[in-house]
Amino acid sequence: NYGRHEDSDGRPGRVGAAGGCPVITQPGGIPAVARRTCRRRIGTMRLPKVLLMMAAARAQELEQIRLEFLVDHLQETMADAWDVTGTVAELVESAVPDHQADLVGGAEALRKAIFASLRMLAEEGRVYMMYAGFEADGTFCGYYGEGQSSRGDDYYYTLLRGWDCAWNYVDSCATDCAGDCVADVTVPCVDGYKGANPDCRRYYDVSSDTGVPDTCASAVSCTTYFDDHYNTAVYDPRMRPWYTKVNAATPRAWSSVYPFASEGVLGITAAWRFANSGGGVVGLDLKLGSIRQIVADAYAA
């Protein structure tokens, strides 16, 4: 197990197996030059391993920092979602006994609260949409976040007046009806839209400052407010995954990942149930792309 080497005077000597240093083969021990050469040889052999260990430790440290940064940002985003959905749900509980009267009668507390919440979160740029759906008649109202709609970079408002829409969803799902399918209008069609259903959901271009359609001075006084829309759609909030996710036993929850109705993009919803005005749910949407961006930001940082 011994190799061969030449000592500093050129004569052969032995190299120890443990460490590769020359053993004493002549009186007077190893010359000083040979000892220095030995130490340099050992250092050269060990340095790559030491550097690899240091690099691995540094990589683990950086990964831990990234993970902590990611967790902090995800928790902050989730907390913001609960803050605003809870605030709007509490507003409905305390100040919106009749959603129809509120949305068209002058107060518009719900619409204003949703718009204000989205503007408050505008700097984060992660909220796709915020809205509320009502159990009694399927009314739905909400806003797309600034720059979140494929239509453009502004806010957009959507309203479905359930009290003024000829709902036929239940009638076209006979298996879900109890007795008279025409009279039983309390059960949404869980199998999807069937038959000739009305496209009662409308979409509006709105001012980025007030949330009111651009052609109107105010939502209350504008006679064309409910007519000046750019699109319509068939929709029933009571059938959507975010709505059915919560109930009396579980009043708030995150939905599973699902495609959003308007544009088909994938995302999740923070849903918060309320009991006033016949009951319903407040929702806030986050696109998966926004969550991926949080991860990307964590690793970029």
Side-chain angles (χ1 to χ4, degrees):
N1 290 332
Y2 285 92
R4 303 294 299 174
H5 87 292
E6 291 185 350
D7 288 331
S8 58
D9 59 0
R11 289 181 294 179
R14 288 187 302 163
V15 179
C21 291
V23 297
I24 299 173
T25 59
Q26 53 186 309
I30 304 173
V33 173
R35 288 198 297 270
R36 289 195 296 272
T37 303
C38 172
R39 286 195 295 269
R40 286 196 295 271
R41 186 181 297 121
I42 293 173
T44 303
M45 292 168 60
R46 293 179 177 175
L47 186 58
K49 183 176 181 180
V50 172
L51 289 176
L52 286 173
M53 293 175 64
M54 292 175 62
R58 180 57 177 163
Q60 290 179 347
E61 181 183 355
L62 288 174
E63 184 66 16
Q64 183 64 31
I65 293 172
R66 291 188 183 106
L67 287 174
E68 291 175 355
F69 183 87
L70 174 60
V71 169
D72 288 343
H73 276 62
L74 286 173
Q75 288 179 338
E76 181 181 353
T77 299
M78 301 304 186
D80 288 343
W82 286 132
D83 285 344
V84 294
T85 51
T87 297
V88 174
E90 291 172 4
L91 171 81
V92 176
E93 294 284 19
S94 61
V96 185
D98 185 334
H99 56 274
Q100 177 180 350
D102 177 74
L103 288 169
V104 300
E108 289 195 295
L110 177 59
R111 182 192 67 78
K112 293 175 182 177
I114 293 175
F115 184 66
S117 297
L118 275 182
R119 293 195 69 186
M120 183 177 65
L121 298 175
E123 289 186 2
E124 297 185 11
R126 294 173 182 150
V127 178
Y128 173 69
M129 190 178 182
M130 188 173 183
Y131 45 79
F134 291 84
E135 183 70 27
D137 56 15
T139 290
F140 178 83
C141 69
Y143 281 93
Y144 293 89
E146 187 175 27
Q148 296 294 320
S149 171
S150 61
R151 182 173 173 81
D153 296 331
D154 296 326
Y155 293 96
Y156 296 92
Y157 180 53
T158 181
L159 176 64
L160 189 161
R161 294 177 290 171
W163 64 87
D164 194 28
C165 187
W167 297 106
N168 295 313
Y169 302 118
V170 176
D171 295 346
S172 51
C173 300
T175 58
D176 293 320
C177 292
D180 185 353
C181 291
V182 176
D184 183 8
V185 294
T186 60
V187 183
C189 175
V190 297
D191 298 325
Y193 303 117
K194 298 179 180 179
N197 300 306
D199 52 350
C200 296
R201 179 176 171 180
R202 297 180 176 182
Y203 300 82
Y204 304 86
D205 289 309
V206 297
S207 165
S208 296
D209 296 322
T210 64
V212 174
D214 290 324
T215 56
C216 302
S218 73
V220 178
S221 62
C222 184
T223 57
T224 61
Y225 178 63
F226 296 120
D227 298 320
D228 189 19
H229 55 278
Y230 65 83
N231 198 10
T232 59
V234 175
Y235 188 75
D236 187 342
R238 298 167 296 181
M239 298 168 56
R240 299 298 298 160
W242 57 270
Y243 194 98
T244 59
K245 183 70 176 181
V246 292
N247 49 50
T250 307
R252 73 171 191 171
W254 283 99
S255 73
S256 301
V257 175
Y258 70 99
F260 295 155
S262 299
E263 300 172 356
V265 296
L266 294 176
I268 59 175
T269 298
W272 195 305
R273 186 177 178 84
F274 56 82
N276 205 16
S277 192
V281 179
V282 174
L284 182 145
D285 293 342
L286 295 175
K287 292 190 291 187
L288 283 190
S290 298
I291 299 175
R292 292 192 193 100
Q293 188 59 49
I294 296 175
V295 177
D297 291 344
Y299 278 80

